[in-house]
């Protein structure tokens, strides 16, 4: 079980219809690659976030497959167009089966 | 994506200028730092009266590339804030035989705004100049009944970064007169003393040659208003006295230890060279 995992997202709370907004996400995670060995020479098992998905009102925005070479605390920044008021749902999938979720509402007005 | 803190037209100007200037310009730029679109930082100001050789002091932020500068302009981008968050949890966690946390006496960490700006500072009861790290350990040992932290270790540097973060934007204003003066004089002497096989003093680089290149890097004035600093080269928070140690090691000298009286004196002196600049910690540098 990965410890100290904490998702963070930064989404503007307001936007105009059709606006392109910048979204930043970061999840603190040690992202153990599975390549390293401990002091006794045993392989430290892989433990990473392997998938990151963002949906807006049920429609997929991005879907990222992540590999072991990705650094600790993976940071994603991307742009999205918001046609209407709705919820961005962020989901991170951990190797250990844990799923971390976060939701942010953007109000279009 | 646009970041308001970095002047847009400057890049084009710099590109045009570089056609004429063969040597890379290594001095400070004219960008202004606003963190989170809210905290306006003073990164250039008149040097304090006690400095003779330098008229204008610049934060190290001005010597960094636009990309590195931008990382510090938003707490979400600033990797150091992850450790600041950890320290904020420690702030509220009781430890030691007295069952107290930092918050038991100091309440919200916001109440510490302005504290980092005046440290290192004379402590009347102890009869010595103390850094903020020494004060933290004094609290831990005498008020909390907890084990002291290693002077420049991770726990301590995180806490120091948390304390700096609530003082951001406030001017550095360490006292150099009164009872602190003898310590300040000692720090000044160290600053101008050549150390190591390379026989270099702090001043040889940071006073005589700031604005020039030191191998592939820009040589700043060696200001410490941005410490603790997240460095891209080691991807972690760096305590100011660890940086001193690194500098002196690079002169091929036996260094003083973090927390030693020599480094405390040096920290007071170097901090006083930045009186008037904003507290920036935790900053982002190369």
């Amino acid at each position: 079980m990965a410890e100290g995992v904490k998702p963070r997202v930064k989404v503007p709370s307001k936007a105009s219809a059709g606006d392109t907004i910048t979204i930043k996400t970061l999840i603190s995670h040690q992202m153990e690659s599975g390549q390293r060995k401990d002091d006794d020479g045993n392989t430290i098992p892989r433990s990473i976030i392997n998938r990151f998905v963002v949906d807006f009102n049920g429609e997929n925005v991005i879907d990222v497959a992540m590999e072991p070479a990705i650094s600790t605390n993976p940071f994603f920044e991307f742009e999205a167009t918001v046609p209407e008021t709705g919820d961005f749902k962020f989901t991170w999938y951990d190797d250990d089966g844990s799923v971390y979720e976060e939701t942010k509402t953007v109000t279009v007005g | 994506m646009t970041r308001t803190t970095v002047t847009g037209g400057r890049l084009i100007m710099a590109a045009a200028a570089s056609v004429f200037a063969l040597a890379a310009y290594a001095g400070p730029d004219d960008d202004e730092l606003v963190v989170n679109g809210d905290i306006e930082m003073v990164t250039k100001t008149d040097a304090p009266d006690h400095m003779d050789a330098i008229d204008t002091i610049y934060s190290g932020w001005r010597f960094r590339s636009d990309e590195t500068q931008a990382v510090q302009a938003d707490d979400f981008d600033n990797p150091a804030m992850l450790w600041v968050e950890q320290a904020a949890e420690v702030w509220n966690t009781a430890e030691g035989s007295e069952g107290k946390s930092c918050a038991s006496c100091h309440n919200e960490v916001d109440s510490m705004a302005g504290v980092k700006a005046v440290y290192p500072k004379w402590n009347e009861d102890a009869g010595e100049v103390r850094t903020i790290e020494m004060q933290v350990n004094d609290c831990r040992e005498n008020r909390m009944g907890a084990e002291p932290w290693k002077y420049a270790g991770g726990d301590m540097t995180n806490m120091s970064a948390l304390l700096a973060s609530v003082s951001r934007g406030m001017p550095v204003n360490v006292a150099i007169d009164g009872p602190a003066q003898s310590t300040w004089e000692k720090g000044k002497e160290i600053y101008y003393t050549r150390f190591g096989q390379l026989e270099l003093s702090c001043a040889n680089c940071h006073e005589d040659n700031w604005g020039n290149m030191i191998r592939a890097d820009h040589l700043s004035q060696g200001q410490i208003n941005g410490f603790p600093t997240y460095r891209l080269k080691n991807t972690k928070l760096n305590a100011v006295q660890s940086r001193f140690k690194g500098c002196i090691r690079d002169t091929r000298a036996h260094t003083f230890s973090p927390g030693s009286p020599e480094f405390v004196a040096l920290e007071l002196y170097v901090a006083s060279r930045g009186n008037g600049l904003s507290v920036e910690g935790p900053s982002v540098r190369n």
Side-chain angles (χ1 to χ4, degrees):
Chain A
M1 182 74 194
E3 286 175 7
V5 181
K6 187 177 169 192
R8 304 164 172 82
V9 292
K10 186 174 179 180
V11 182
S13 57
K14 291 193 180 82
S16 306
D19 260 7
T20 302
I21 59 170
T22 300
I23 295 171
K24 296 176 180 179
T25 74
L26 185 153
I27 186 162
S28 44
H29 194 284
Q30 90 278 22
M31 298 291 279
E32 186 62 56
S33 70
Q35 306 282 330
R36 302 197 306 157
K37 291 190 167 70
D38 64 16
D39 292 341
D40 301 324
N42 304 315
T43 302
I44 304 172
R46 179 183 126 160
S47 171
I48 67 168
I49 301 280
N50 56 43
R51 189 174 173 219
F52 172 51
V53 179
V54 180
D55 293 331
F56 180 72
N57 284 350
E59 186 187 352
N60 184 246
V61 180
I62 58 169
D63 190 339
V64 185
M66 296 165 73
E67 302 292 343
I70 291 175
S71 76
T72 304
N73 306 334
F75 176 99
F76 286 98
E77 178 174 330
F78 57 94
E79 293 181 338
T81 308
V82 280
E84 66 212 14
T85 298
D87 294 339
F88 278 99
K89 188 174 166 220
F90 304 85
T91 316
W92 292 262
Y93 296 89
D94 197 311
D95 272 353
D96 65 15
S98 306
V99 176
Y100 312 100
E101 288 179 331
E102 189 78 38
T103 305
K104 290 280 174 182
T105 305
V106 180
T107 310
V108 170
Chain B
M1 184 187 70
T2 48
R3 287 195 164 99
T4 52
T5 48
V6 178
T7 321
R10 209 188 60 83
L11 282 171
I12 300 159
M13 302 254 302
S18 67
V19 175
F20 304 103
L22 285 174
Y25 177 66
D29 64 16
D30 293 322
D31 294 340
E32 297 284 345
L33 175 58
V34 181
V35 173
N36 299 333
D38 177 35
I39 312 169
E40 290 179 20
M41 299 282 192
V42 176
T43 51
K44 172 190 179 184
T45 190
D46 293 336
D49 292 338
H50 68 80
M51 284 167 73
D52 299 326
I54 292 177
D55 297 327
T56 306
I57 51 175
Y58 296 93
S59 160
W61 184 84
R62 292 255 188 165
F63 293 81
R64 305 276 61 103
S65 70
D66 286 351
E67 294 82 357
T68 308
Q69 289 180 334
V71 176
Q72 196 186 323
D74 183 351
D75 280 356
F76 199 91
D77 294 347
N78 185 343
M81 298 315 286
L82 295 178
W83 288 286
V84 169
E85 273 182 30
Q86 283 179 19
E89 281 176 27
V90 173
W91 181 267
N92 292 311
T93 308
E95 232 187 299
S97 57
E98 304 299 311
K100 285 183 182 173
S101 68
C102 305
S104 306
C105 296
H106 296 291
N107 303 318
E108 293 297 312
V109 69
D110 290 341
S111 71
M112 306 301 277
V115 173
K116 175 71 178 179
V118 296
Y119 269 83
K121 183 183 172 190
W122 176 258
N123 183 307
E124 190 61 48
D125 295 337
E128 63 181 1
V129 169
R130 283 191 169 173
T131 61
I132 209 159
E133 287 86 356
M134 292 162 80
Q135 207 60 54
V136 167
N137 263 347
D138 184 73
C139 273
R140 287 183 61 80
E141 284 185 277
N142 298 324
R143 291 209 219 176
M144 296 164 66
E147 286 291 308
W149 281 326
K150 189 164 172 255
Y151 188 86
D155 291 327
M156 181 63 90
T157 308
N158 293 354
M159 185 56 70
S160 162
L162 174 68
L163 292 168
S165 72
V166 295
S167 292
R168 283 185 298 175
M170 297 180 171
V172 175
N173 185 23
V174 296
I176 63 172
D177 50 3
Q181 193 183 356
S182 63
T183 307
W184 181 81
E185 299 279 0
K186 182 179 163 193
K188 184 175 181 180
E189 193 187 322
I190 293 172
Y191 191 87
Y192 287 100
T193 301
R194 289 169 181 269
F195 288 98
Q197 291 177 319
L198 298 184
E199 296 189 349
L200 289 169
S201 72
C202 308
N204 290 143
C205 288
H206 295 292
E207 187 165 287
D208 303 340
N209 279 297
W210 66 271
N212 292 330
M213 299 297 281
I214 180 165
R215 300 182 70 178
D217 199 5
H218 297 193
L219 197 39
S220 76
Q221 291 182 343
Q223 294 289 354
I224 59 171
N225 58 312
F227 277 90
T229 290
Y230 178 85
R231 297 190 70 192
L232 302 173
K233 69 174 276 185
N234 61 10
T235 64
K236 68 181 186 74
L237 271 178
N238 294 264
V240 61
Q241 296 197 9
S242 305
R243 192 71 189 85
F244 288 165
K245 186 178 170 183
C247 257
I248 297 188
R249 179 203 60 210
D250 290 348
T251 70
R252 301 189 186 172
H254 280 293
T255 79
F256 305 108
S257 300
S260 64
E262 290 84 0
F263 270 174
V264 172
L266 184 61
E267 184 177 336
L268 174 63
Y269 177 68
V270 179
S272 77
R273 291 174 69 95
N275 272 354
L277 293 174
S278 295
V279 175
E280 273 180 46
S283 64
V284 180
R285 303 284 189 263
N286 287 18

